[in-house]
């Protein structure tokens, strides 16, 4: 450090120019760096989505989910394998430990899936999970000319294609559109009269669209290929489709079929063919029908820039008056607000630093010089993080914001010492010599204290799980900014101090504050036992407050939104779901503080994780004013809405959940997983646990994934069927086409894309109709009831697996901040239940995260203390003085826990990170103090006088640095913004811990030092 300072003083102009270059490049980097709400975080998980139109839940579970699970189980080292099977689709999630090579694993998973023998109609896709996979922009679009079809066409054919071409856009989706569907409703009796089935019609229609190679002809040395082609172009072609000659028979109970004069049966003779508009998903905003645009970005794209470009495309069309837009969600705007809020809080912190320095030094030049480290360090940090591929988000900005006070510490110590030297020895030395010697006197203390602050974050690199991934950018921002401030303190500050401190009026040494403190320190040294006794009592008292604080993973930020999930009985139609939704929308419209509400009903089955639910499900998102009491609103709606919904359609369930700030999981949830191979017992056990949790007033949003059960009919061939040599697959084909609509495909008919659907007019509506289906056998036509026995059972609408085992999950959110205490009470209550035999119970949720997080950070703190002790040992030599310095860490809990108790916050990960940061900050005061004491003793000053002189001399820089650090964090601690959820708790912990540790360090550390060195002589440093 001394060499760097000497070089800087000899090349002052170059150093100033270098700092200007750093500022310039940092400012440029600030305009280029990606802006996001949260860090780029890719979860080590792969989602597998399997779609099989028309398949039942059981078919999906046994024929699709189970084979995929068996294949995925062969992968070694995965953390969990979850699956959900429902009608038409299955979702599977396999999660690996953080740090896994997901590029390699996802490729291996795709290869494994390709080797599975699944039914032909099953379509499988895989997706990687990322924090940036959610939409960044959502908007409701309304037609201003009452032309919804025209608007849909413009959105689909013009606006969305433009959005998809924008740089950084991954996908753009339009919801609420209608599709043309050609329904072919076949008269079953007429079809049977002519020996025609739906499969026959399907094959005949598909055969109209073909392309067949016939060979080639050589003509004048030219080879001409010949193809036979046929195209399906119009609805009339389908109507006139010949299906065979009509037999001259009379079917009992029906008139004989009278075909056209050509004696050919055409499709229009036995079916009614109609065109209908089909809407898989209904979307409304504030009760008005709308379309919803959703835009997703690429992983490496700048969220704010992409959102701005999307809004420009929409604005260019909106100016023409074609439609109106209401923004539902805009992450670009949210990011700008987050950045603006954190910058504002940082600027307030910087202002407080300036005031503190000026109050202590009472010199404008010294104040301005010391503050220069702020912009240089901050812009250098942004420049380096941009080069390293990090983005500007609430974690990196939070790291810079909490470092502001610490950034100026080194500069304060250096400039204060130069300022003091100029007062005391201004007439004895020239500017550069004085600046060099004054800097040299404190450079050791400055370097060691800064390195101690930095090394405490090194163990975070080895913390596993989501905590390590999420806090790594935060730690990096802190480390880079503090190291930058160290370089500024030993390079730029001496140059400016030598230049601008040429004329400083001499003043009386000491001062009233120093004189008063000298009396205190001498009194403390006379009453060592009393001082130590009081310190120990304060420490014990602070530790005893932990049970009062409670334990949480992270503070849960409330946002003025609520989500309402509506589920009707399984066989309900979309129209019924729409009717229930409209009743709930009317209720929301009359609520106090409501600003907007958006409803989504149903949704097409797709290969996206964000696809909608079934036709019996709807989701409503309500936005309230910022002043609304959300807990009261949700409680009121939870009490009244279920009855309103059930009055429209019986057995409708309504779940209302209060919105939470997105980002890092808060851990305020509890999950109870139940396992059993017997569905009846599993459902009964889940109901018992659900009822128990609903009685707990500390819980809300209780959910049970086994609430939905439907009757099912199970057929098995009887002895008569076996004797008749009935083929089970033939039975499946015949029955299946009478139960489920049959898709033919999508064709461009009369210039419009239409999906063709085949169904029978005579639907199977009862067990009697099902049992009377005719089945061809070797002995002739027989009724289904003659060859098979039918039994009625209960079946799950959705089947959930964990590692291949069927399980039920009952979950809930914890209302208060003490997740640990509530979880323990729930576990105790559940264990007291008399659950059905064979049901196993496993507890999970936030408590698992708390245990993992606290264990990881606890180990990190122990390692950090060891690293700081190593730095101190290298700095001071030996072990005794470093041990005395480390004793100052004992005073951290006194203020840190006290501040949390006063502000009503739980002991969370934010507080633990704050304490980890304090390990590095607190020793700074002890280092600055004892460094002076050691130098005094080596110069021959008696022990007590060496302590007193050092205490008087170092009082001002210690108080300045501590006050600057604390006051710089005050805006973060007082902020109510969502961006300070993490940094806010950290700021409170650091302020409280630094306040008490500074006061106790100034009094207790000198007492311990004198007790330790009273009968020892100062060690002579051996030079060689």
């Amino acid at each position: 450090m001394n060499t760097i300072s000497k070089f800087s003083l000899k090349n002052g102009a170059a150093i100033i120019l270098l700092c200007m270059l750093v500022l310039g490049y940092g400012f440029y980097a600030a305009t280029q760096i990606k802006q996001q709400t949260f860090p780029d975080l890719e979860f080590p998980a792969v989602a597998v989505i399997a779609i099989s139109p028309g398949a039942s839940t059981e078919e999906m579970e046994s024929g699709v989910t189970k084979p995929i699970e068996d294949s995925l189980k062969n992968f070694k080292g995965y953390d969990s394998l979850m699956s959900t099977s429902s009608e038409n689709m299955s979702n599977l999630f396999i999660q690996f430990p953080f740090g896994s090579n997901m590029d390699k694993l996802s490729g291996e998973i795709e290869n494994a899936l390709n080797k599975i023998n699944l039914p032909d109609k099953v379509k499988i896709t895989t997706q990687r999970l990322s924090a940036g996979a959610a939409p960044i922009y959502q908007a409701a679009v309304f037609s201003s000319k009452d032309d919804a079809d025209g608007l849909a066409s413009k959105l689909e054919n013009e606006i969305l294609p433009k959005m998809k071409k924008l740089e950084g856009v991954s996908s753009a989706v339009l919801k609420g559109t209608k599709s043309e569907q050609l329904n072919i409703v076949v008269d079953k009796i007429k079809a049977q009269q002519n020996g025609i089935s739906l499969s026959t019609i399907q094959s005949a229609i598909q055969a109209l669209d073909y392309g067949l190679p016939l060979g080639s002809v050589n003509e004048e040395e030219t080879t001409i290929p010949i193809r036979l082609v046929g195209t399906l172009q119009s609805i009339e072609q389908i109507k006139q489709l010949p299906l065979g000659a009509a037999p001259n028979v009379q079917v009992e109970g029906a008139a004989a079929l009278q075909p056209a004069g050509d004696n050919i049966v055409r499709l229009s003779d036995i079916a009614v063919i109609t065109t209908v508009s089909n809407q898989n998903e209904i979307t409304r905003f504030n009760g008005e029908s709308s379309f919803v645009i959703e835009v997703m970005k690429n992983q490496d794209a700048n969220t704010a820039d992409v959102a701005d470009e999307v809004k420009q495309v929409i604005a260019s069309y909106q100016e023409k008056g074609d439609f109106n837009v209401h923004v539902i969600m805009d992450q670009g705007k949210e990011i700008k607000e987050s950045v603006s809020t954190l910058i504002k809080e940082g600027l307030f912190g910087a202002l407080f630093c300036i005031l503190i320095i000026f109050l202590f030094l009472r010199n404008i030049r010294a104040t301005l010089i010391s503050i220069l480290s702020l912009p240089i360090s901050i812009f250098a940090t942004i420049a380096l993080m941009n080069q390293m591929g990090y983005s500007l988000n609430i974690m990196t900005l939070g790291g810079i914001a909490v470092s502001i006070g610490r950034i100026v510490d080194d500069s304060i110590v250096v400039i204060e010492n130069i300022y003091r030297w100029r007062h005391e020895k201004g007439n004895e030395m020239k500017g550069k010599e004085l600046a060099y010697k004054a800097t040299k006197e404190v450079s050791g203390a400055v370097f060691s204290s800064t390195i101690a602050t930095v090394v405490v974050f090194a163990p975070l690199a080895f913390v596993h799980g989501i905590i390590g991934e999420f806090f790594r950018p935060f730690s990096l921002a802190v480390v880079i900014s503090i190291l930058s401030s160290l370089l500024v303190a030993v390079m730029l500050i001496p140059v400016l101090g030598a230049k601008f401190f040429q004329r400083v009026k001499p003043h009386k040494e000491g001062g009233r504050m120093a004189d008063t403190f000298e009396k205190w320190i001498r009194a403390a040294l006379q009453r060592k036992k009393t001082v130590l006794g009081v310190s120990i009592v304060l420490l014990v008292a602070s530790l005893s407050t932990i049970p009062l604080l409670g334990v949480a993973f992270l503070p849960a930020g409330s946002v003025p939104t609520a989500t309402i999930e509506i589920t009707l009985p399984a066989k309900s139609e979309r129209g019924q779901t729409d009717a229930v939704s409209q009743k709930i929308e009317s209720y929301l419209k009359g609520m106090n503080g409501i600003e907007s509400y958006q409803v989504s009903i149903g949704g097409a089955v797709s290969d996206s994780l964000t696809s909608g639910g079934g036709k019996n499900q709807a989701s409503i998102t309500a936005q309230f004013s910022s002043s609304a009491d959300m807990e009261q609103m949700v409680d009121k709606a939870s009490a009244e809405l279920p009855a309103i919904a059930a009055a429209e359609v019986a057995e409708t369930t309504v779940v209302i959940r209060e919105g939470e700030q997105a980002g890092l999981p808060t851990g305020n949830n509890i999950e109870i997983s139940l396992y059993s191979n017997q569905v009846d017992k599993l459902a009964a056990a889940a109901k018992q646990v659900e009822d128990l949790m609903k009685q707990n007033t500390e819980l809300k949003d209780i959910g049970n994934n086994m609430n939905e059960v439907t009757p099912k009919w199970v057929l098995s061939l009887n002895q008569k069927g076996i004797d008749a040599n009935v083929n089970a697959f033939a039975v499946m084909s015949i029955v299946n086409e009478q139960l489920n609509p049959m898709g033919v495909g999508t064709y461009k008919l009369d210039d419009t894309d239409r999906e063709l659907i085949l169904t029978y007019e005579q639907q199977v509506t009862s067990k009697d109709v099902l049992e009377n289906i005719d089945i061809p056998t070797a002995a002739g036509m027989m009724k289904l009831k003659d060859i098979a026995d039918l039994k009625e059972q209960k079946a799950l609408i959705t089947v959930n697996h964990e590692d291949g085992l069927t399980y039920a999950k009952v979950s809930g959110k914890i209302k208060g901040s003490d997740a640990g205490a509530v979880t323990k009470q729930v576990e105790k209550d559940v264990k007291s239940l008399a659950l059905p035999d064979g049901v196993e119970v496993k507890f999970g949720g936030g408590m698992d995260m708390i245990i993992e997080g606290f264990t990881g950070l606890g180990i990190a703190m122990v390692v950090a203390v060891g690293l700081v002790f190593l730095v101190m040992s290298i700095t001071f030599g030996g072990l005794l003085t470093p041990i005395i310095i480390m004793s100052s860490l004992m005073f951290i809990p006194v203020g840190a826990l006290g501040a949390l108790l006063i502000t009503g916050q739980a002991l969370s990960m934010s507080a633990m990170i704050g304490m980890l940061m304090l390990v590095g900050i607190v020793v700074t005061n002890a280092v600055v103090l004892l460094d002076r004491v050691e130098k005094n003793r080596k110069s021959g000053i008696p022990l007590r006088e060496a302590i007193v002189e050092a205490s008087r001399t170092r009082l001002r820089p210690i108080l300045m640095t501590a006050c600057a650090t604390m006051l710089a964090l005050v805006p973060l601690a007082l902020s109510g913004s969502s961006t300070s959820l993490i940094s806010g708790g950290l700021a409170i912990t650091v302020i409280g811990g630094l306040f008490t540790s500074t006061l106790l360090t100034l009094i207790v550390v000198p007492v311990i030092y004198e007790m330790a060195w009273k009968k020892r002589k100062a060690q002579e440093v051996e030079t060689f």
Side-chain angles (χ1 to χ4, degrees):
M1 290 291 107
N2 297 331
T3 304
I4 295 175
S5 298
K6 183 178 286 187
F7 173 83
S8 302
L9 286 165
K10 289 181 178 179
N11 302 275
I15 295 301
I16 292 173
L17 182 60
L18 175 63
C19 291
M20 292 176 65
L21 288 173
V22 170
L23 277 172
Y25 181 67
F27 183 78
Y28 170 75
T31 64
Q32 300 298 309
I33 192 170
K34 283 194 305 179
Q35 293 183 19
Q36 295 176 299
T37 307
F38 298 100
D40 281 328
L41 180 62
E42 185 175 32
F43 294 97
V46 176
V48 180
I49 303 103
I51 298 174
S52 180
S56 66
T57 299
E58 281 197 330
E59 289 171 338
M60 292 301 302
E61 181 194 16
S62 60
V64 180
T65 305
K66 191 71 169 62
I68 296 176
E69 283 179 337
D70 291 339
S71 177
L72 295 179
K73 283 179 186 178
N74 294 323
F75 286 85
K76 296 180 180 179
Y78 68 85
D79 284 345
S80 64
L81 174 59
M82 315 289 288
S83 71
T84 301
S85 304
S86 57
E87 286 188 358
N88 305 316
M89 71 184 302
S90 294
N91 288 315
L92 298 95
F93 298 88
I94 182 167
Q95 183 168 340
F96 297 89
F98 277 93
S100 301
N101 186 344
M102 292 310 299
D103 289 331
K104 178 183 176 184
L105 286 170
S106 60
E108 291 176 352
I109 287 173
E110 288 184 7
N111 291 335
L113 293 175
N114 291 333
K115 296 175 182 177
I116 303 174
N117 186 19
L118 295 173
D120 294 337
K121 61 181 180 179
V122 176
K123 178 186 175 185
I124 293 182
T125 56
T126 60
Q127 293 184 21
R128 299 263 290 274
L129 301 186
S130 168
I136 63 161
Y137 182 83
Q138 277 184 322
V141 184
F142 313 87
S143 174
S144 57
K145 301 177 181 178
D146 293 327
D147 183 13
D149 293 338
L151 176 58
S153 176
K154 183 180 287 290
L155 289 169
E156 287 183 310
N157 301 322
E158 294 183 37
I159 298 177
L160 249 68
K162 280 191 176 182
M163 288 183 179
K164 291 176 181 178
K165 291 179 182 178
L166 294 174
E167 185 178 356
V169 171
S170 171
S171 64
V173 179
L174 183 64
K175 294 184 175 182
T177 58
K178 296 179 181 179
S179 60
E180 291 292 320
Q181 185 172 298
L182 190 70
N183 285 345
I184 304 171
V185 182
V186 179
D187 187 311
K188 188 192 303 185
I189 298 175
K190 291 180 180 180
Q192 287 178 348
Q193 174 185 346
N194 291 274
I196 299 170
S197 66
L198 294 188
S199 298
T200 306
I201 300 172
Q202 181 192 47
S203 300
I205 294 174
Q206 292 172 344
L208 292 175
D209 196 75
Y210 57 86
L212 303 172
L214 300 182
S216 60
V217 173
N218 293 321
E219 183 179 16
E220 297 179 358
E221 299 182 355
T222 301
T223 301
I224 302 173
I226 303 173
R227 288 179 60 82
L228 178 65
V229 297
T231 56
L232 181 56
Q233 297 178 327
S234 67
I235 297 175
E236 188 62 29
Q237 275 182 274
I238 295 175
K239 289 181 177 180
Q240 298 302 321
L241 176 67
L243 299 174
N248 188 17
V249 295
Q250 177 76 29
V251 179
E252 184 180 348
L257 183 63
Q258 298 296 327
D262 56 6
N263 202 37
I264 298 295
V265 176
R266 302 186 183 277
L267 183 58
S268 58
D269 295 328
I270 64 170
V272 176
I273 302 169
T274 55
T275 299
V276 296
S277 292
N278 184 44
Q279 191 172 14
N280 287 319
E281 184 171 9
I282 300 172
T283 53
R284 285 193 294 271
F285 188 85
N286 285 350
E288 185 179 351
S289 294
S290 66
F291 302 103
V292 175
I293 296 174
E294 286 187 355
V295 179
M296 274 71 75
K297 73 174 187 70
N298 294 325
Q299 181 75 10
D300 57 349
N302 189 328
T303 303
D305 289 346
V306 173
D308 286 342
E309 290 177 6
V310 168
K311 285 183 283 188
Q312 286 176 9
V313 171
I314 293 176
S316 66
Y317 284 90
Q318 193 177 1
E319 290 171 357
K320 301 174 185 177
D322 294 339
F323 55 80
N324 299 318
V325 177
H326 188 102
V327 177
I328 300 170
M329 183 267 291
D330 180 3
Q331 276 196 20
K333 181 181 178 182
E334 293 171 8
I335 287 168
K336 290 177 180 178
E337 290 176 354
S338 300
V339 171
S340 175
T341 300
L342 281 169
I343 290 174
K344 182 177 70 175
E345 291 166 356
L347 288 174
F348 274 117
L351 177 63
F352 290 152
C353 285
I354 294 171
L355 292 175
I356 285 295
I357 296 167
F358 181 74
L359 287 174
F360 275 93
L361 295 181
R362 298 186 297 278
N363 184 287
I364 294 177
R365 287 184 179 181
T367 302
L368 293 177
I369 290 171
S370 59
I371 285 300
L372 280 175
S373 60
L374 271 177
I376 296 173
S377 299
I378 289 172
F379 280 113
T381 302
I382 293 174
L384 280 172
M385 297 205 77
N386 184 42
Q387 287 295 317
M388 297 169 71
Y390 285 91
S391 62
L392 212 57
N393 52 68
I394 69 168
M395 298 306 294
T396 49
L397 279 171
I400 294 172
V402 300
S403 302
I404 284 177
R406 183 60 186 82
I407 286 173
V408 298
D409 281 3
D410 293 341
S411 297
I412 287 174
V413 172
V414 172
I415 200 67
E416 191 276 338
N417 213 44
I418 295 174
Y419 186 69
R420 185 177 61 83
W421 271 58
R422 177 59 66 187
H423 273 299
E424 297 173 359
K425 305 175 183 180
N427 297 325
E428 302 174 14
M429 302 180 193
K430 294 183 179 180
K432 290 185 178 180
E433 180 187 4
L434 185 143
Y436 172 70
K437 290 187 176 179
T439 304
K440 182 179 179 181
E441 185 180 57
V442 294
S443 62
V446 167
F447 177 76
S448 60
S449 60
T450 301
I451 296 302
T453 305
V454 168
V455 296
V456 299
F457 288 98
L460 273 183
F462 304 99
V463 174
H464 298 292
I466 196 168
I467 283 291
E469 296 293 323
F470 229 78
F471 276 97
R472 204 158 287 135
F474 175 91
S475 305
L476 194 62
V478 173
V479 168
I480 294 175
S481 60
I482 292 176
L483 286 177
S484 301
S485 72
L486 173 63
L487 293 175
V488 172
V490 297
M491 294 176 70
L492 180 63
I493 301 302
V495 172
L496 297 178
K499 179 69 176 175
F500 294 105
F501 284 165
Q502 295 294 337
R503 296 178 182 178
V504 177
K505 294 180 181 180
H507 75 300
K508 176 189 165 186
E509 187 176 348
R512 184 180 300 174
M513 184 174 66
D515 293 339
T516 302
F517 181 66
E518 181 179 343
K519 294 178 183 178
W520 289 0
I521 195 68
R522 289 188 183 276
L525 293 172
Q526 292 290 343
R527 302 172 180 83
K528 298 184 183 69
K529 291 182 180 179
T530 303
V531 171
L532 290 177
V534 171
S535 302
I536 293 170
V537 169
L538 287 173
L539 177 62
V540 173
S542 65
L543 294 175
S544 65
T545 63
I546 293 178
L548 300 176
L549 294 174
V551 180
F553 187 70
L554 278 176
S558 176
V559 291
T561 63
T563 301
I564 303 171
E565 300 291 343
I566 307 164
T567 305
L568 276 68
K571 299 303 179 183
S572 301
E573 295 299 325
R574 186 172 284 108
Q576 293 175 290
T577 310
D578 189 18
V580 174
S581 299
Q582 289 184 34
K583 291 287 185 181
I584 293 178
E585 288 174 85
S586 299
Y587 176 88
L588 289 173
K589 189 176 181 180
M591 292 188 75
N592 293 327
I594 189 74
E595 290 186 349
S596 64
Y597 49 91
Q598 192 256 334
V599 62
S600 175
I601 302 168
V605 176
S606 72
D607 56 1
S608 169
L609 291 174
T610 58
S611 61
K615 60 185 179 181
N616 66 321
Q617 296 176 330
S619 175
I620 301 176
T621 302
Q623 179 74 40
F624 293 85
S625 63
S626 57
S627 59
D629 185 344
M630 288 309 302
E631 187 172 345
Q632 181 183 353
M633 292 282 188
V634 171
D635 288 343
K636 183 174 185 292
S638 298
E640 297 173 355
L641 281 180
I644 294 174
E648 185 70 24
V649 176
E651 298 182 16
T652 297
T653 61
V654 180
V655 178
I656 303 102
R657 293 186 173 91
E658 185 179 345
E660 286 187 355
Q661 178 66 32
L664 194 63
T666 58
N668 67 332
N669 64 314
I670 181 169
E671 296 176 351
I672 292 115
S673 298
L674 306 163
Y675 304 87
S676 175
N677 292 326
Q678 300 181 46
V679 174
D680 292 342
K681 290 185 176 181
L682 195 59
K687 183 63 177 172
Q688 282 182 267
V689 174
E690 180 187 9
D691 292 341
L692 176 71
M693 291 176 66
K694 284 182 176 179
Q695 295 172 13
N696 192 320
T697 57
E698 296 294 326
L699 297 176
K700 63 180 180 179
D701 300 343
I702 309 300
N704 178 1
N705 67 358
M706 285 200 73
N707 273 333
E708 296 181 291
V709 178
T710 185
K712 71 171 180 178
W713 294 336
V714 178
L715 290 164
S716 57
L717 292 176
N718 54 28
Q719 192 59 47
K720 189 174 181 180
I722 295 171
D723 293 341
N725 199 25
V726 174
N727 187 306
F729 289 99
V731 174
M732 179 184 73
S733 176
I734 293 167
V735 174
N736 191 54
E737 74 172 25
Q738 299 200 40
L739 294 177
N740 300 310
M742 182 177 291
V744 180
T746 300
Y747 297 90
K748 196 175 189 68
L749 304 175
D750 300 327
D751 298 324
T752 302
D753 287 331
R754 290 184 171 90
E755 183 184 8
L756 274 60
I757 302 294
L758 279 167
T759 57
Y760 279 120
E761 180 182 357
Q762 295 84 354
Q763 297 287 319
V764 176
T765 56
S766 66
K767 183 163 55 172
D768 184 61
V769 175
L770 175 66
E771 289 180 325
N772 281 287
I773 292 176
D774 290 323
I775 305 294
T777 69
M781 297 295 284
M782 300 178 71
K783 301 294 184 183
L784 180 61
K785 63 182 177 181
D786 296 329
I787 63 165
D789 297 329
L790 186 149
K791 294 181 180 178
E792 185 171 327
Q793 298 178 359
K794 295 288 185 181
L796 295 171
I797 293 176
T798 301
V799 179
N800 300 285
H801 288 177
E802 181 178 341
D803 289 332
L805 300 175
T806 303
Y807 83 107
K809 182 172 72 176
V810 184
S811 59
K813 294 284 184 67
I814 297 168
K815 290 182 179 179
S817 59
D818 192 357
V822 176
T823 301
K824 287 181 180 178
Q825 183 60 49
V826 172
E827 288 184 11
K828 181 181 177 182
D829 293 342
V830 171
K831 288 176 181 177
S832 67
L833 289 175
L835 297 176
D837 294 337
V839 176
E840 298 181 6
V841 182
K842 186 177 79 173
F843 299 96
M847 199 62 192
D848 287 347
M849 299 173 66
I850 290 171
I851 293 171
E852 181 184 356
F854 273 73
T855 302
L857 282 181
I859 294 171
M861 289 181 72
V862 172
V863 175
V865 170
L867 291 174
V868 171
F869 182 75
L870 178 63
V871 173
M872 296 299 101
S873 181
I874 294 172
T875 303
F876 290 93
L879 297 176
L880 188 56
T881 299
I883 289 174
I884 297 169
I885 291 173
M886 300 304 290
S887 69
S888 62
L889 299 179
M890 294 190 300
F891 311 133
I892 290 175
V894 176
L897 298 178
L900 292 174
L901 184 64
I902 292 170
T903 56
Q905 294 208 23
L907 186 61
S908 65
M909 291 296 105
S910 298
M912 291 291 285
I913 293 287
M915 291 189 186
L916 181 67
M917 195 172 178
L918 279 169
V919 170
I921 295 176
V922 165
V923 297
T924 301
N925 296 331
V927 168
V928 171
L929 175 63
L930 296 189
D931 177 68
R932 179 78 178 186
V933 174
E934 296 270 297
K935 289 178 179 177
N936 286 343
R937 291 184 65 206
K938 289 174 183 177
S939 65
I941 300 176
L943 177 60
R944 177 162 295 189
E945 294 308 314
I947 294 173
V948 172
E949 191 280 337
S951 298
R952 282 178 58 93
T953 305
R954 295 293 190 231
L955 175 65
R956 185 166 64 178
I958 287 175
L959 290 180
M960 285 172 65
T961 56
C963 290
T965 302
M966 288 187 290
L967 287 177
L969 292 172
V970 167
L972 280 177
L974 297 179
S975 174
S977 66
S978 59
T979 55
S980 64
L981 278 177
I982 296 169
S983 51
L986 185 150
I988 290 171
T989 305
V990 173
I991 290 171
L994 187 55
F995 177 77
T996 56
S997 64
T998 299
L999 297 180
L1000 291 171
T1001 295
L1002 287 169
I1003 300 295
V1004 181
V1005 168
V1007 168
I1008 297 174
Y1009 188 88
E1010 186 178 74
M1011 291 176 66
W1013 284 102
K1014 189 172 184 179
K1015 296 181 180 180
R1016 294 180 175 88
K1017 293 182 179 180
Q1019 295 178 349
E1020 294 184 6
V1021 179
E1022 184 180 354
T1023 58
F1024 53 91

